[in-house]
Amino acid sequence: WVSQKRTGLDKWFGKSRDRFDLIAGLPNDYVDPVTGAALQWTVDSPEPPNGSTAKEIAFKGAWVAIMRQNNVNYALDAARLYQLTGDTKFAELAATQLDFYADSYNKWPLRTAIGNSRMFGQTLEEATSVLQMLEVTRALAPYVATARRAKWRDSLFFPIATNLQAYSWGSLNNMNMWCAVATAAIGMEFNNASWTDAGLTGPRSVSAVMSQGVTADGIWYEGAFA
């Protein structure tokens, strides 16, 4: 298993992946341009050209979003392999990814179509990915200097929390739940009571979603049974 993980990480980080000039869109737009059927993204899927039409731009943005999700996943794999083996090569691979996102986050354009986001085209992808990035942060605690961790906190995680709490669409729903949980997790990881409270008991918190977004029978008002 460890050998397979090493091989996968060597392949992924063996070439340049994420870049500042890449602007993420919505993963669901990664579809066949003719039929509209969903396409399977793999680590070997080539980067599409920028394109000029709305469909081409959306397709490129979708490719970026999925690649970025995978980059976070591989960073987490690297951090876990560091925990398991003590090999600091993997710790540095993972830490470098968070350095990049901390340097880039506030420079990327603010996207407001579905909540506020910068790493991705909508809030949901930031809410899910930030939980993995927090796992990376915790796994690297013995390796990372205090100043480096503080930069991740101030330039990446706290700005993400601000954007997560800006999501507002109709009645509270499952996306609010993701945003609330991610906000609370940021607060817990960095001992910030304001973000923890916002995620757990605030007006758009886990508590609020459970009281306002669920019927007496325990069903989401929006109909998302899962």
Side-chain angles (χ1 to χ4, degrees):
W1 180 85
V2 172
S3 178
Q4 289 176 338
K5 286 295 182 183
R6 285 181 184 271
T7 299
L9 287 166
D10 287 343
K11 179 175 182 178
W12 181 260
F13 290 115
K15 60 181 289 187
S16 176
R17 297 287 180 175
D18 212 345
R19 306 190 309 271
F20 176 71
D21 64 290
L22 296 174
I23 305 301
L26 305 179
N28 287 351
D29 287 330
Y30 195 65
V31 298
D32 185 288
V34 177
T35 67
L39 295 176
Q40 181 66 44
W41 195 100
T42 73
V43 297
D44 298 313
S45 297
E47 178 181 336
N50 289 331
S52 57
T53 68
K55 280 189 176 182
E56 291 170 340
I57 294 170
F59 183 78
K60 173 66 175 284
W63 182 93
V64 173
I66 299 171
M67 177 277 298
R68 191 158 287 161
Q69 288 174 323
N70 275 273
N71 197 52
V72 172
N73 287 336
Y74 277 103
L76 180 53
D77 271 352
R80 287 170 171 168
L81 208 55
Y82 158 69
Q83 284 184 302
L84 181 64
T85 67
D87 190 338
T88 57
K89 164 192 170 182
F90 296 107
E92 186 59 27
L93 281 174
T96 299
Q97 308 316 306
L98 294 188
D99 289 342
F100 167 69
Y101 292 126
D103 287 337
S104 303
Y105 189 80
N106 280 310
K107 299 175 186 174
W108 275 319
L110 181 64
R111 319 294 291 282
T112 58
I114 308 176
N116 288 0
S117 57
R118 293 182 186 273
M119 273 183 69
F120 294 97
Q122 65 169 338
T123 300
L124 181 60
E125 274 75 57
E126 285 199 3
T128 55
S129 292
V130 78
L131 295 171
Q132 294 167 303
M133 291 191 289
L134 286 168
E135 283 196 63
V136 173
T137 301
R138 178 164 294 190
L140 298 182
Y143 174 78
V144 175
T146 301
R148 196 175 192 182
R149 176 181 164 88
K151 183 175 181 180
W152 297 346
R153 178 195 65 203
D154 297 337
S155 298
L156 178 62
F157 290 108
F158 282 3
I160 287 178
T162 299
N163 283 336
L164 290 173
Q165 285 296 295
Y167 174 73
S168 176
W169 187 83
S171 61
L172 300 187
N173 55 64
N174 67 324
M175 284 183 66
N176 287 110
M177 180 66 89
W178 277 107
C179 291
V181 168
T183 301
I186 290 170
M188 291 173 180
E189 180 62 28
F190 294 103
N191 298 312
N192 183 285
S194 295
W195 286 129
T196 303
D197 293 343
L200 295 181
T201 60
R204 308 199 73 75
S205 64
V206 173
S207 176
V209 174
M210 294 305 293
S211 63
Q212 299 175 41
V214 180
T215 69
D217 295 319
I219 298 174
W220 290 107
Y221 280 111
E222 65 173 323
F225 293 110

